[in-house]
Amino acid sequence: MLVPLHGMTIIEVILVACMRLLYCLTTFQSKLHTFASDQARVAFAKSYLQGIALDHYTAILYFNPGHLLFTNWQAFVNKFSSKFRVFDIVTKAERKLMSLRISTNEHFTMFVVQFEKEAYKTGWNYNALRFQLSKALLKHIHDVLQLRLKQPTYEGLKNLVIQIDQCH
């Protein structure tokens, strides 16, 4: 049985924590100069803590103000990941990406949005993405692709499949 925490189940707490962590990582990537130091990253991430996570942070601050997690981003992530079971976003995205398959009634343009959402999180190169995208396609699209020139790039394959999807 899931025990509510501040009105939320454990699963909801974990999901919220993961979404906040992903937001922090995305922000760090987009503002490299602003978040160049670990202290800046920790301070930004700390501002998103709530509930039990914030209580835990406050207790550490009170009892051990020199703790490494206040100045080291990796120590911060390790501490809160171990306590609150924040799972590895990259691994989760890789698993999701490898299991994605376009359904019979789904338009490719809608599918590729979800595909690229997960692909962005993985950090895979375009060759790996091209291979994985090819595996996710329906048989009739593969049949049509066999009649066309092989597309050596991810973007080329994606654009060709969009054209095929629009015709069928």
Side-chain angles (χ1 to χ4, degrees):
M1 178 174 166
L2 296 176
V3 180
L5 304 170
H6 295 285
M8 297 170 67
T9 65
I10 292 172
I11 299 297
E12 290 170 328
V13 169
I14 291 170
L15 288 175
V16 168
C18 288
M19 287 187 296
R20 289 189 178 133
L21 181 60
L22 181 60
Y23 175 74
C24 288
L25 295 174
T26 305
T27 302
F28 299 159
Q29 283 293 96
S30 66
K31 299 180 180 186
L32 294 174
H33 290 324
T34 304
F35 298 105
S37 75
D38 279 4
Q39 279 184 304
R41 291 175 178 203
V42 169
F44 181 78
K46 173 193 68 147
S47 70
Y48 283 90
L49 295 178
Q50 291 181 339
I52 292 174
L54 180 58
D55 294 345
H56 182 64
Y57 182 90
T58 305
I60 295 170
L61 183 60
Y62 181 76
F63 291 109
N64 189 1
H67 195 289
L68 185 61
L69 75 83
F70 299 118
T71 57
N72 182 285
W73 172 246
Q74 193 59 51
F76 179 88
V77 170
N78 290 344
K79 182 73 169 174
F80 283 89
S81 295
S82 68
K83 289 284 183 196
F84 301 102
R85 297 173 26 119
V86 177
F87 48 85
D88 183 359
I89 293 169
V90 173
T91 301
K92 182 180 180 220
E94 287 175 341
R95 286 184 185 146
K96 178 134 188 194
L97 197 61
M98 288 188 281
S99 69
L100 277 175
R101 299 291 180 264
I102 189 168
S103 64
T104 306
N105 299 332
E106 188 175 18
H107 288 285
F108 179 75
T109 52
M110 298 302 288
F111 171 79
V112 81
V113 169
Q114 180 65 34
F115 182 89
E116 289 182 342
K117 176 183 166 191
E118 299 303 326
Y120 174 75
K121 297 173 197 173
T122 66
W124 287 3
N125 67 30
Y126 285 115
N127 288 335
L129 292 176
R130 184 188 173 289
F131 175 78
Q132 197 59 45
L133 181 61
S134 180
K135 283 179 53 178
L137 300 175
L138 295 170
K139 185 182 179 329
H140 78 272
I141 294 176
H142 276 287
D143 293 344
V144 174
L145 286 173
Q146 295 297 326
L147 303 173
R148 306 273 179 109
L149 289 176
K150 183 177 179 181
Q151 294 297 317
T153 66
Y154 170 77
E155 284 297 321
L157 175 63
K158 185 174 79 171
N159 292 333
L160 183 56
V161 173
I162 288 172
Q163 291 174 4
I164 294 168
D165 189 52
Q166 290 172 347
C167 294
H168 290 90

